[in-house]
Amino acid sequence: MHLSDKKTIMFIQGAFISHSCWDEWIVFFEKRGYKTVAPPWLHKNESAEILRREHPNSKIASISLNDLLDYYVEIIEKLPEKPILIGHSYGGLLTQLLMEKELGYAGVCINSFPPRNAITVNFSFYKAILKPLGFFTSAKKTYLMSFKKWQHYFTNKMSFEEQKDSYEKLIIPESKILIRGIFSKISKINFKKKHSPLLFLSGSADHFTSSIINYSNFKKYKNLHSITCFKEFENQNHYALGQKNWENIALYIADWLEKIS
């Protein structure tokens, strides 16, 4: 594929973290000739430091899954062509749902949250989302992940300094309503429907959405006329985007995009 043929990549962040998580990925893919966009989520355009100072943030607290889907649909429809969608964590779920709406040329789901009809009985995942769901707290107030949980669920296998730096750079308040959205009917996927190419990536050291969850999500897709692929990376955690050797993941995606083009 010649550089002039390269498409636009839309990076979709996950819950709890700033869209600046894609900064190095943008450089990586633009060097390979892609155009890139990484729009922040609704009400999250400020830096992580500013958003944490504003916690609890009533505007962020009001965000629902439906709000985010409408937001991304509006952005995509203004682009000259269907973009390649690359989503991380909750952004992986958004990628699946946008692909369901036939809005992506191809989709890549990194350590993806499962849709409603692919959620498995996984104690670690339910434990990880228990507090963010906030069933016994006010949904009008945002949830802010503690550093201890960031260490365990996102940045295990990283040094304390890397964990601290990434926490200060990325962690932002999150909507409990949004997290609850994974159990809503909006979160369901028609796994038999024909779709553009989809790639699921997981990490063997992911304490949040384990490889079992990601592989189960991948295996749900049943359309024989569609490309659906899966790859597990050894010792990669849930954060992955900024963990050591993240370039190996990005390079794998770039090679996969070349193959399907």
Side-chain angles (χ1 to χ4, degrees), residues 158-175:
M158 294 169 66
S159 70
F160 178 83
E161 291 75 17
E162 290 171 325
Q163 291 173 331
K164 193 68 175 176
D165 288 346
S166 58
Y167 183 86
E168 292 175 355
K169 177 185 176 184
L170 297 174
I171 282 291
I172 57 178
E174 194 51 82
S175 164

Side-chain angles (χ1 to χ4, degrees), residues 36-232:
T36 65
V37 290
W41 282 8
L42 286 164
H43 312 306
K44 293 184 178 182
N45 198 32
E46 301 293 345
S47 69
E49 182 181 2
I50 291 173
L51 290 174
R52 284 198 299 272
R53 284 206 302 265
E54 295 176 349
H55 170 68
N57 185 310
S58 59
K59 286 185 177 180
I60 293 177
S62 70
I63 300 170
S64 69
L65 173 55
N66 199 49
D67 292 334
L68 267 188
L69 280 174
D70 288 345
Y71 170 72
Y72 276 105
V73 168
E74 184 178 353
I75 294 173
I76 291 170
E77 287 179 343
K78 291 178 180 176
L79 296 175
E81 61 180 355
K82 292 181 183 180
I84 295 162
L85 304 174
I86 301 180
H88 170 252
S89 193
Y90 202 103
L93 171 60
L94 289 169
T95 295
Q96 284 183 260
L97 295 171
L98 291 167
M99 293 291 288
E100 174 95 348
K101 294 177 181 290
E102 302 179 11
L103 292 172
Y105 170 79
V108 180
C109 305
I110 305 170
N111 301 338
S112 183
F113 266 53
R116 176 181 171 178
N117 50 336
I119 295 176
T120 60
V121 179
N122 186 285
F123 177 74
S124 179
F125 177 66
Y126 283 107
K127 185 178 179 182
I129 63 171
L130 183 60
K131 283 197 173 182
L133 285 168
F135 284 132
F136 304 106
T137 59
S138 173
K140 294 181 180 179
K141 294 184 177 181
T142 43
Y143 167 82
L144 187 65
M145 183 177 290
S146 68
F147 177 57
K148 185 176 181 180
K149 289 191 179 298
W150 175 251
Q151 287 179 294
H152 178 73
Y153 287 113
F154 274 72
T155 56
N156 54 301
K157 296 281 185 180
M158 294 169 66
S159 70
F160 178 83
E161 291 75 17
E162 290 171 325
Q163 291 173 331
K164 193 68 175 176
D165 288 346
S166 58
Y167 183 86
E168 292 175 355
K169 177 185 176 184
L170 297 174
I171 282 291
I172 57 178
E174 194 51 82
S175 164
K176 299 168 189 175
I177 294 171
L178 178 72
I179 304 303
R180 295 174 192 177
I182 67 173
F183 298 108
S184 71
K185 62 181 181 181
I186 299 169
S187 172
K188 291 183 70 173
I189 294 289
N190 179 0
F191 290 108
K192 295 180 180 179
K193 180 180 177 181
K194 188 175 181 180
H195 59 80
S196 295
L198 263 173
L199 171 63
F200 287 86
L201 302 178
S202 70
S204 67
D206 189 341
H207 287 174
F208 203 137
T209 57
S210 68
S211 288
I212 293 172
I213 290 175
N214 282 275
Y215 186 72
S216 176
N217 194 355
F218 152 72
K219 287 293 288 183
K220 286 280 185 178
Y221 283 87
K222 302 296 184 184
N223 190 284
L224 298 177
H225 304 287
S226 302
I227 297 171
T228 316
C229 304
F230 176 84
K231 168 71 175 177
E232 178 183 308

Side-chain angles (χ1 to χ4, degrees), residues 1-7 33 35 81:
M1 184 164 60
H2 300 294
L3 290 182
S4 59
D5 299 328
K6 298 267 176 111
K7 295 184 176 293
K35 300 179 287 292
E81 61 180 355

